[in-house]
Amino acid sequence: MKQAQIKIRILPIAKAEIARLQKDNLSLQEENHSLREENLKQAQELLYYKRLFYGRRSERRIPDHPDGQLFIPFGQESIPEETSDIKPLVEEIQVASYTRRNRARRESRKLRREEIPADIERRTRVIEPEGIDLEKTTRIGEDVREILHYILCCPEEARSLLFLRR
């Protein structure tokens, strides 16, 4: 009889405790969900700033949406058409890369020297490595440089020195 009376007294207390624990559980789940969303937002923001700081500069302005260049349609029948907001960005990137390539070509052309005319006297100096038996070794390659020397007293006697470094 005493056990039944104890159960009857404890039952409302246990039900109230269960209800309180369920409310606490629900509030903790909501808080967990909001913290996960905030964490995801901060991770995306960090990724954005890392790409901005360390990434390629030409891809900085491409919008992130599924219609973009990097979208691969797995399981779809057709590929979506390019949107109007991406076309100007792609054209801008293509123009920038074209001008960058042409600038590099122009600069490489500037560095080239004209050939020394054939009627100028040429003298050749061969520079061999010291302390090596040349009969027992195999030559891998050689560095060829041609330098034009002007003689100040008589400029018509310009000569070319050809250095062969082996």
Side-chain angles (χ1 to χ4, degrees):
M1 181 87 159
K2 282 187 165 184
Q3 289 180 352
Q5 289 175 352
I6 293 174
K7 286 183 183 178
I8 292 174
R9 280 190 239 158
I10 295 177
L11 189 61
I13 296 172
K15 285 183 181 180
E17 185 68 21
I18 289 173
R20 186 186 63 78
L21 289 175
Q22 286 176 344
K23 286 181 185 177
D24 288 347
N25 186 18
L26 185 61
S27 66
L28 289 174
Q29 284 178 351
E30 290 173 357
E31 183 181 355
N32 187 11
H33 180 69
S34 66
L35 289 174
R36 284 182 189 264
E37 285 181 353
E38 184 180 347
N39 188 15
L40 179 64
K41 181 181 174 186
Q42 288 177 349
Q44 288 174 346
E45 187 176 344
L46 177 64
L47 180 62
Y48 170 76
Y49 285 117
K50 279 184 178 180
R51 285 183 182 161
L52 184 68
F53 189 72
Y54 297 112
R56 299 179 78 187
R57 300 297 185 237
S58 62
E59 295 178 4
R60 180 172 39 192
R61 294 176 296 256
I62 294 179
D64 294 331
H65 53 76
D67 296 346
Q69 174 184 358
L70 301 176
F71 176 67
I72 301 174
F74 290 110
Q76 293 182 358
E77 292 295 325
S78 63
I79 298 173
E81 296 295 322
E82 288 184 359
T83 58
S84 60
D85 60 338
I86 291 180
K87 287 183 181 180
L89 295 175
V90 171
E91 290 172 3
E92 180 183 342
I93 291 170
Q94 288 174 344
V95 168
S97 67
Y98 176 76
T99 56
R100 185 175 54 244
R101 269 194 309 255
N102 281 347
R103 187 180 320 126
R105 285 181 189 158
R106 276 186 265 131
E107 289 174 1
S108 68
R109 287 181 189 149
K110 289 178 187 175
L111 297 177
R112 293 183 187 161
R113 296 180 182 175
E114 294 182 16
E115 291 186 21
I116 298 175
D119 60 334
I120 294 180
E121 173 190 356
R122 284 181 164 67
R123 294 184 183 175
T124 304
R125 276 193 200 159
V126 179
I127 302 171
E128 298 285 349
E130 297 175 3
I132 296 177
D133 187 12
L134 298 176
E135 295 175 1
K136 295 180 181 177
T137 58
T138 304
R139 183 171 25 144
I140 297 174
E142 61 186 15
D143 180 25
V144 178
R145 293 225 172 113
E146 190 170 18
I147 300 173
L148 183 63
H149 285 275
Y150 289 104
I151 301 172
L152 294 176
C153 66
C154 35
E156 61 274 351
E157 291 187 25
R159 66 176 76 110
S160 171
L161 290 176
L162 185 66
F163 290 98
L164 295 175
R165 191 176 306 251
R166 296 182 177 170

